[in-house]
Amino acid sequence: MKVAIYPGSFDPVTLGHIDIVERAASIFGKVFVAVIKHPEKQANFSFEDRMKMLKNATKHLKNVIVESFSGLLIDYAKKKKASAIVRGLRAVSDFEYEFQMALTNRKMCPQIETIFFMTDYKYAYLSSSIVRQIAELGGSIAGMVPPNVENELKKRRK
Ligand code: PNS
């Protein structure tokens, strides 16, 4: 069974992320969604909240497991016996960072391939930071995040 890792900070998870998880889950036997515990940029949501929102939003996918990791992603991927790391690509602006990360991981472990999923056009504009900004300023984030995340952000505003 082919195993993939879909890593990220998920701060918070968006429908763009869920679209990628669903598509990865239809190709791989098992997908570990790996939430980084201590992201490089300080996360806005606590680690526990990011995990909870993701678990809730992926519970319909039986071959998806939400876990956490710290340290090097490639070490976590090796531990899980993954054959691939999955990342989503939106605009050209994503490319440089993703290119560097994929090549670095490949240098450290050539057996694990990084596979990119092109975003669905519906989510091409979407990012966790855009969602946070809209929610903080009182706008609607319906259709941008899973319903449980929308409710969570509404509760926070109150
Ligand atoms: O959602 P993000 O913030 O774009 O995810 C970035 C993430 C977590 C995938 C990346 O920062 C990462 O893999 N961090 C772990 C540290 C690591 O392995 N660094 C070396 C590869 S560049």
Side-chain angles (χ1 to χ4, degrees):
M1 182 177 53
K2 293 270 184 208
V3 174
I5 308 291
Y6 179 41
S9 38
F10 305 105
D11 188 31
V13 60
T14 67
L15 287 179
H17 293 127
I18 297 300
D19 174 57
I20 304 287
V21 184
E22 285 173 347
R23 287 157 62 195
S26 74
I27 291 174
F28 290 94
K30 195 183 276 187
V31 177
F32 288 97
V33 179
V35 183
I36 190 163
K37 204 161 188 174
H38 305 291
E40 280 156 41
K41 298 165 278 173
Q42 174 71 39
N44 287 266
F45 289 89
S46 71
F47 165 69
E48 290 74 18
D49 286 349
R50 287 181 287 132
M51 289 285 288
K52 196 175 87 185
M53 287 189 273
L54 249 170
K55 280 187 179 164
N56 204 321
T58 55
K59 62 176 186 237
H60 60 295
L61 299 165
K62 297 301 165 225
N63 58 339
V64 169
I65 299 166
V66 178
E67 286 198 345
S68 67
F69 79 102
S70 44
L72 283 177
L73 171 62
I74 205 72
D75 288 341
Y76 170 77
K78 279 190 218 164
K79 209 168 72 194
K80 292 289 160 191
K81 303 198 184 326
S83 48
I85 292 169
V86 164
R87 294 284 289 171
L89 269 186
R90 291 163 304 186
V92 180
S93 51
D94 283 343
F95 181 78
E96 211 168 317
Y97 173 57
E98 295 298 336
F99 181 67
Q100 186 182 32
M101 205 156 63
L103 294 196
T104 308
N105 285 328
R106 188 171 173 73
K107 167 79 180 144
M108 290 190 283
C109 183
Q111 295 76 24
I112 300 180
E113 200 64 65
T114 300
I115 296 182
F116 294 100
F117 282 65
M118 200 59 69
T119 180
D120 188 299
Y121 71 93
K122 294 197 294 284
Y123 307 121
Y125 68 94
L126 197 51
S127 70
S128 296
S129 58
I130 284 281
V131 164
R132 288 196 309 268
Q133 195 178 89
I134 296 172
E136 271 161 29
L137 298 174
S140 168
I141 51 168
M144 298 182 188
V145 293
N148 67 301
V149 175
E150 195 186 337
N151 291 338
E152 183 65 35
L153 289 176
K154 267 189 198 149
K155 262 196 273 166
R156 279 167 188 247
R157 259 208 107 222
K158 284 182 197 156

